[in-house]
Amino acid sequence: MTQTLVSAATLDLTVRKSLFRAHAAPVDDEDAAMRFLSDVSVPDATHNCWAWRAGGRYRSSDDGEPGGTAGRPILQAIEMQDYDHVVVVVTRWFGGVKLGAGGLVRAYGGAAAACLRSAESVVIVPQLGLRLHVSFAVLPLVQARLETWRARQTRCDFDAEGAWLDLSVPVADQDVIAQSLRDMTRGQSPIHEIKAGD
């Protein structure tokens, strides 16, 4: 099952006198990942290597280390533990002993993997958007059920008869929730699936 982090985490690892500090955090998208990188990077450190994954998108950087010895192992640590919407930055302070390509791969990948293992995670529940119109009388009934449904209200626009609601609901429970909504509205309001960009 795909998971993400609950909050940011940090872990230090010393390998042959070099200090590797891993920072990991949950992120929504590339912009958030790059902001986190900017926040935790240490300008006077030897290297600030990183990787992030958010949905089908991912990127990594060796930040001056030999190609494929830092960013890719960090990304592999994210993927091997089935994380998504996560960024990991591993900062290295050189300790005077060269590690070689294999040693760098193990150090960067190991620091990232250990940091992710030490952090609190949560399973990502695939969500689907639903839109419907409810009367003023039904609105509080729907809102009271959201927690039970593991759903959340993402938008509410009022009009003269009630409110247009956008809900984010677990894909696995969409049929049960849609039937409950039809029952609550007595079938008076069609339920529309919200597509990306709607």
Side-chain angles (χ1 to χ4, degrees), residues 14-96:
T14 302
V15 180
R16 299 180 69 191
K17 299 184 180 178
S18 282
L19 173 62
F20 293 83
R21 176 166 294 151
H23 293 277
V27 292
D28 291 328
D29 53 29
E30 179 176 2
D31 291 341
M34 300 315 285
R35 281 194 304 274
F36 182 77
L37 169 64
S38 177
D39 289 346
V40 302
S41 290
V42 181
D44 63 353
T46 315
H47 302 281
N48 291 283
C49 305
W50 52 268
W52 59 263
R53 179 178 168 200
R57 296 178 50 81
Y58 58 89
R59 279 185 57 204
S60 65
S61 169
D62 295 315
D63 189 37
E65 291 282 28
T69 62
R72 210 171 299 150
I74 295 168
L75 182 60
Q76 187 174 27
I78 293 169
E79 292 173 341
M80 292 295 289
Q81 294 185 49
D82 206 11
Y83 272 98
D84 198 2
H85 293 278
V86 165
V87 60
V88 179
V89 180
V90 180
T91 300
R92 178 190 184 193
W93 288 268
F94 181 58

Side-chain angles (χ1 to χ4, degrees), residues 3-21:
Q3 58 186 351
T4 193
L5 296 175
V6 173
S7 59
T10 303
L11 180 130
D12 285 353
L13 178 68
T14 302
V15 180
R16 299 180 69 191
K17 299 184 180 178
S18 282
L19 173 62
F20 293 83
R21 176 166 294 151

Side-chain angles (χ1 to χ4, degrees), residues 114-152:
C115 185
L116 291 170
R117 280 194 302 272
S118 74
E120 185 179 356
S121 62
V122 62
V123 173
I124 296 174
V125 178
Q127 299 282 306
L128 171 77
L130 298 178
R131 178 176 293 147
L132 74 156
H133 190 270
V134 296
S135 68
F136 289 114
V138 172
L139 177 62
L141 302 176
V142 172
Q143 291 172 326
R145 296 288 299 277
L146 294 177
E147 188 174 342
T148 305
W149 290 334
R150 299 182 305 150
R152 63 187 172 86

